[in-house]
Amino acid sequence: MFRFVFLYFLIQALPLDAQFFVNLVDFNGGYTRYLFNLSHYAPRFFGPEDTFVNWGVVLVFAAIGSVVWSFRNDSKTDYDQLYYWLRVVLRYRLALGVIAYGFIKLFPLQAPLPSISNLNTAYGDHTAWKLFSLSLGIVPNYESFLGAVELVGGLLLLHRKTATIGTLILLPFLGNVFFSNLAYEGGEYVYSGLLITFALVLFAFDAIRLFRLLSLELPASPNRFYLVLNEQWQRYGRLALKSVFILFTVLLYGFTTYSTYRNGSVRFPKTPGLPGAAGLYNVREFRVGGKTLPYAKNDPVRWQNVVFETWNTISIKSNRPVSIVNTVTEKLPATDRTGGSTEEDYEFAGSQGRHYYRYTVDPARNLLTLKNSNPNYAAETLQLTYTKAGNGQIILAGLDEKRDSVYAVLDKINKKYLIDEAAKAGRRGSLKL
C-alpha cells in the first residue's frame, strides 16, 4: 500500500510533463505571473485544463509502478525514510501552491474592484463564476484576510514541527475553495482538490496522535523519527535549498506581487483612455445609415448606453447577442509592452449584455479606432470621430462594423455607486444617493 501511495503522490507533486517546462521558460508578464504559473502545475495528459481524468492516469501509473517495485524488492518493509521524504516533497509543494495564491489575495489582484461596465451590467447577465469573483472584489479587505490565512498556513508548512498546524489551517480553507468552485462553476475545483489531498497526507502523520490526545484524552506518543545527515555538505545543502525556496517563493514573490498591486490591477488594461471621458453615458440620439432609431430596449442594433472606462475600453449596451467568453480560472494574464492584456480579459469574461472594445486615440483627427475585445468578434472594428460638446456630452460619428454610417449623441450620467459612497461614509456613516 505504501508503495502505491508513495508513487501516486510523487507523480502528482513532481514536474513530469511538458507543461511545467513550458511554464519554466515563459517569462512574459513578470516574476509574479511566472512563479504563479509554476505553482499552478499539475500533471495533465488530456489537454491544458485540469480534469479528474488526469488523476485516473496517475493512479494507473502508480499501480503499475508499485507492482514492478514489489517484484523487484518484495522483502523490504521499512519505509520510514521514504515516508519522511514524501512528506518533505508534499510540504513544499503544498506551500508553493498556497503561498502563490495567498499573495495575490493579500494584495488583492485575484479579484479586483468591479469596473464601471461591471457595475452597469444586470445581475442576471453575469455567470455564477463572475458573480462570485465580483462579490469577492468589492471587499478587498476580506480578500486580503483570506490571503493572510493562506500565507500563514503555507509558512507553517516550511518547518517540520509546525507542518501539522499548517494543515489544520489549510484543510478547512481549501475545502471552502473546493466547494465554492463547485457551487459557482469555477475552474479551480480540480486543483484545489489536489492540494487538499496533499494536506490530508501530511495531516494523517499526526492524526491518530491528535485524536488520542484531544478526543480520547489519552497519552499520545510523540514522533521521534528524524533524518540523520552525517555529511557536512548534506546539512549545508539542506539549509541552502530551504533558503533559496524562501528567498524566491516568499521574499521575491511577495515583493513583486506588492509592486504589481501598486502599479494597478492586472485584470484590466493599463493604457489610459480618452482624458476626462470616464463614466456612464445615456445614448440620447442614435442613427444608422442616416436613419434615426428611437429608444427600444429590445432593438438589437440601437445602443442603450455606453461606458468609457479610465483605461482604453469602451463598452456598449444593446440587445445584440453576445458570445460569452467563459474564462473560469484565476490565471494571471500576460501583458504586452503597452500594458494591454494578451489573453482573455477579466472585464468581459463571464458577462453578456455589453460589447467591449479596446480603442486607440488619434487626437490630431479626433478619431477613435475601436476593436472588439471578445475573441469571438476579433474582426470587428469601428472608426468613430469624437466631439466633446460640453456639459459632459460626447458625439460619436463614423462607420460601424458593417461599414454603415453611425451617429450617436451621448449624455453623461453623474451616477453614484453604493459601494463607493459606503466606503466614503465609513461603517457608521449615513448614506444619501
Side-chain angles (χ1 to χ4, degrees):
M1 184 63 182
F2 171 82
R3 298 167 184 175
F4 173 78
V5 171
F6 178 82
L7 291 174
Y8 174 82
F9 283 101
L10 207 61
I11 295 171
Q12 289 280 31
L14 296 180
L16 299 176
D17 72 16
Q19 184 59 45
F20 176 84
F21 299 98
V22 171
N23 294 342
L24 193 63
V25 296
D26 180 10
F27 291 95
N28 188 20
Y31 185 75
T32 298
R33 178 180 180 271
Y34 174 73
L35 188 66
F36 181 83
N37 282 349
L38 289 182
S39 73
H40 200 267
Y41 164 81
R44 299 183 181 98
F45 305 96
F46 300 97
E49 302 299 328
D50 282 334
T51 66
F52 287 118
V53 176
N54 293 315
W55 293 22
V57 175
V58 176
L59 282 169
V60 171
F61 287 163
I64 294 173
S66 61
V67 170
V68 173
W69 189 351
S70 297
F71 278 115
R72 292 181 61 87
N73 186 3
D74 194 36
S75 59
K76 184 176 180 179
T77 57
D78 181 7
Y79 297 114
D80 286 347
Q81 288 194 17
L82 287 178
Y83 188 28
Y84 174 89
W85 284 114
L86 176 63
R87 295 200 312 275
V88 169
V89 170
L90 294 183
R91 275 171 46 211
Y92 281 86
R93 175 61 188 89
L94 179 57
L96 178 63
V98 296
I99 288 173
Y101 270 92
F103 272 120
I104 68 170
K105 289 189 184 77
L106 182 68
F107 307 117
L109 295 172
Q110 181 172 328
L113 286 167
S115 66
I116 302 174
S117 298
N118 294 150
L119 292 173
N120 286 284
T121 300
Y123 185 89
D125 282 340
H126 293 300
T127 62
W129 165 82
K130 190 60 173 281
L131 288 173
F132 176 76
S133 187
L134 292 174
S135 300
L136 182 60
I138 64 175
V139 281
N141 289 338
Y142 179 64
E143 186 176 351
S144 296
F145 167 74
L146 294 178
V149 172
E150 211 164 359
L151 280 172
V152 169
L155 292 174
L156 288 172
L157 292 174
L158 301 183
H159 187 50
R160 176 173 52 86
K161 294 181 180 179
T162 58
T164 299
I165 301 173
T167 59
L168 282 171
I169 294 173
L170 291 173
L171 277 171
F173 184 92
L174 292 172
N176 181 61
V177 172
F178 176 77
F179 285 108
S180 295
N181 273 272
L182 283 179
Y184 288 92
E185 301 174 359
E188 302 290 341
Y189 60 94
V190 177
Y191 181 66
S192 58
L194 180 64
L195 296 183
I196 289 172
T197 63
F198 293 164
L200 286 172
V201 172
L202 293 171
F203 177 70
F205 181 68
D206 286 314
I208 295 177
R209 284 190 285 270
L210 286 172
F211 177 75
R212 286 179 57 87
L213 182 66
L214 300 177
S215 297
L216 302 181
E217 299 182 359
L218 297 174
S221 301
N223 169 45
R224 300 193 180 279
F225 177 85
Y226 64 93
L227 191 68
V228 178
L229 301 176
N230 295 316
E231 301 294 335
Q232 189 177 44
W233 69 267
Q234 294 175 331
R235 295 191 292 272
Y236 284 124
R238 170 185 168 275
L239 291 175
L241 288 174
K242 187 169 186 173
S243 299
V244 168
F245 183 91
I246 293 173
L247 173 65
F248 285 98
T249 304
V250 180
L251 301 180
L252 183 58
Y253 181 69
F255 174 77
T256 58
T257 307
Y258 174 72
S259 299
T260 301
Y261 167 70
R262 294 288 294 177
N263 290 331
S265 174
V266 297
R267 300 296 185 189
F268 302 122
K270 291 185 173 59
T271 303
L274 187 66
L280 173 66
Y281 292 79
N282 178 54
V283 182
R284 179 161 61 89
E285 183 180 348
F286 187 76
R287 304 179 204 158
V288 173
K291 180 182 178 181
T292 299
L293 298 181
Y295 177 84
K297 192 173 182 64
N298 296 326
D299 193 318
V301 177
R302 193 191 194 280
W303 300 354
Q304 297 176 21
N305 62 60
V306 174
V307 167
F308 282 77
E309 302 288 357
T310 55
W311 52 87
N312 64 327
T313 289
I314 291 174
S315 70
I316 300 172
K317 177 176 176 54
S318 69
N319 198 43
R320 177 186 164 200
V322 175
S323 294
I324 297 178
V325 174
N326 197 27
T327 302
V328 293
T329 58
E330 305 296 347
K331 64 182 179 181
L332 297 182
T335 55
D336 58 27
R337 294 181 181 178
T338 63
S341 173
T342 61
E343 297 177 359
E344 295 170 348
D345 200 287
Y346 176 86
E347 62 180 339
F348 60 83
S351 298
Q352 66 177 5
R354 310 188 74 88
H355 282 269
Y356 288 77
Y357 300 85
R358 297 281 168 75
Y359 66 91
T360 56
V361 183
D362 183 349
R365 300 164 57 195
N366 279 14
L367 180 67
L368 302 177
T369 301
L370 284 63
K371 292 184 179 296
N372 200 312
S373 304
N374 190 320
N376 297 311
Y377 308 95
E380 184 177 314
T381 302
L382 290 76
Q383 285 196 320
L384 306 171
T385 59
Y386 65 92
T387 303
K388 294 185 177 180
N391 297 322
Q393 188 178 86
I394 296 178
I395 299 174
L396 300 178
L399 299 176
D400 65 10
E401 69 277 3
K402 297 178 180 178
R403 314 315 294 168
D404 291 331
S405 64
V406 61
Y407 177 87
V409 178
L410 312 180
D411 292 333
K412 190 169 186 178
I413 303 173
N414 293 319
K415 184 175 181 179
K416 294 182 179 181
Y417 300 95
L418 184 58
I419 59 171
D420 296 331
E421 298 305 310
K424 294 175 186 176
R427 186 180 296 273
R428 294 179 176 83
S430 59
L431 293 175
K432 284 186 178 181
L433 293 178

